[in-house]
Amino acid sequence: MAALGAALVPGAQPAVAAGCTWAMTPLALPAPYTSSEVYAAAEGGWFVGAVRGPNAYAQVRWHGGQVDSSFRLTEVRDINSSGDVVGDGGTGDWWAAKPVVYRGGQYVNLPMPQGFRSAKATHINDAGDVIGVAYGNLGDDVHPVLWAAARPGTAEVLNPDPQHLYDTYPVDVDEQGRVLLYTDVGERSGEVFVRAADGGYRQLPPLYPGGAVYLEAFHGGRIAASVVTPELTMVAIEADLDGNVVHTTTEAADALFLDAGTTMAGVAHTFDPENYELRIWEDGEPIADLAGDADVNAAPQPAGLTDDGTLAATIRLPGTTQPRAVAYHRGC
């Protein structure tokens, strides 16, 4: 990525949104832990992540200022507004991955899709629909899986082409039950599909012809992606469900998250001098920088943008060296 620095267009300086602030609050860090990180956020003040100390580690949920460390998963991936957590309940090896939902204090093992060796859950929406990936016997045969809340006990392998089973990956499932998918094999690599809640598939046109597109977020019918352009610059784009690009940033940006309205959050990259800023965009225009660092190893790491105006991120607080999980709350 650094090799592209000389070709990148410097980002525009963000303005301050009139009447809006993003107040930061560190998420609770109980003793004996000295650092924390957040992996996902959901409406209603739900967060999931981990806390660490010199000789201590725990996965945690935060809610209402309280910390819950009563669960254990090999890999924690997402949380919804009911506090349900999804991830991998296996050993940590791909061949032993087990899709699990931690719900109401209980671990719920999701069914393994037929013909696959292992699977893990990666995203959950507020309706309880879960998506993830399933692995074939050799581990290089990877496909998306939907565990629909309306069809408990079932695991549906999602395949936009019934004539062939291509390596396909899910980006996210939105609150309407739609799933964004992309292919990653041979000549069909980079194709993008939306799977509707009724089971129909629709292929989108290329989002940035000639560029390398990396899909990052899907929410409320909005798609966000980082792009390496044919000119070897970098930008971020927002697109609609028809694949129309509605906004393009002037700066390089990734680690993108969307709400269901007009807000996007992510990490904006500037070069010469190098810097990484946790940035907010409205309708494609930068409006606020919330945290930043010149060291890529200490760059802010956004983890979720909720529809009730909360951005979760892991940052280094001023004057400290340890990462901390924080929440930014929008006030207008």
Side-chain angles (χ1 to χ4, degrees):
M1 196 67 72
L4 299 176
L8 294 173
V9 177
Q13 292 300 311
V16 177
C20 291
T21 60
W22 289 83
M24 186 271 285
T25 303
L27 299 181
L29 183 63
Y33 305 104
T34 56
S35 68
S36 57
E37 52 200 44
V38 58
Y39 304 147
E43 281 191 335
W46 286 100
F47 308 91
V48 67
V51 291
R52 304 176 189 273
N55 298 295
Y57 167 83
Q59 296 169 358
V60 295
R61 290 186 303 183
W62 291 274
H63 188 243
Q66 302 299 310
V67 182
D68 171 21
S69 59
S70 61
F71 69 99
R72 292 288 184 276
L73 291 171
T74 304
E75 182 181 34
V76 174
R77 294 299 299 266
D78 200 12
I79 191 169
N80 68 7
S81 62
S82 297
D84 302 334
V85 177
V86 296
D88 174 15
T91 66
D93 300 307
W94 69 264
W95 59 84
K98 296 180 179 179
V100 172
V101 178
Y102 180 73
R103 178 187 298 131
Q106 301 293 324
Y107 296 95
V108 179
N109 293 315
L110 299 173
M112 196 68 63
Q114 186 175 2
F116 288 86
R117 177 171 183 170
S118 59
K120 64 176 64 175
T122 58
H123 295 84
I124 184 171
N125 65 12
D126 289 345
D129 298 318
V130 177
I131 60 167
V133 291
Y135 302 92
N137 286 329
L138 298 179
D140 55 358
D141 186 20
V142 184
H143 299 281
V145 181
L146 170 67
W147 294 273
R151 298 182 295 278
T154 66
E156 179 186 357
V157 178
L158 304 182
N159 180 23
D161 185 348
Q163 301 301 315
H164 302 88
L165 193 62
Y166 293 100
D167 280 353
T168 310
Y169 295 85
V171 178
D172 208 342
V173 56
D174 72 3
E175 300 307 333
Q176 291 73 35
R178 299 170 297 207
V179 182
L180 185 67
L181 305 163
Y182 69 95
T183 60
D184 186 24
V185 59
E187 294 181 356
R188 299 201 62 173
S189 181
E191 293 181 342
V192 179
F193 296 85
V194 174
R195 193 260 191 195
D198 64 6
Y201 292 90
R202 184 159 49 87
Q203 184 175 356
L204 303 187
L207 298 181
Y208 204 102
V213 177
Y214 302 93
L215 297 172
E216 302 215 30
F218 178 56
H219 188 67
R222 304 172 65 204
I223 299 167
S226 60
V227 177
V228 179
T229 73
E231 298 76 29
L232 296 185
T233 61
M234 290 181 63
V235 297
I237 61 173
E238 293 180 46
D240 62 21
L241 280 174
D242 294 320
N244 302 310
V245 174
V246 295
H247 298 301
T248 302
T249 67
T250 58
E251 61 268 67
D254 61 6
L256 304 171
F257 289 89
L258 298 165
D259 68 6
T262 60
T263 307
M264 181 173 74
V267 176
H269 305 197
T270 54
F271 299 86
D272 195 25
E274 188 171 10
N275 202 48
Y276 301 86
E277 292 285 346
L278 181 61
R279 184 162 293 176
I280 303 290
W281 293 262
E282 284 288 343
D283 287 319
E285 294 295 327
I287 62 165
D289 281 352
L290 305 179
D293 206 295
D295 180 0
V296 64
N297 296 311
Q301 300 172 41
L305 178 63
T306 69
D307 288 342
D308 54 2
T310 297
L311 171 64
T314 302
I315 67 171
R316 287 191 184 180
L317 297 176
T320 69
T321 59
Q322 296 294 319
R324 284 292 302 273
V326 303
Y328 294 89
H329 303 282
R330 179 173 53 205
C332 297

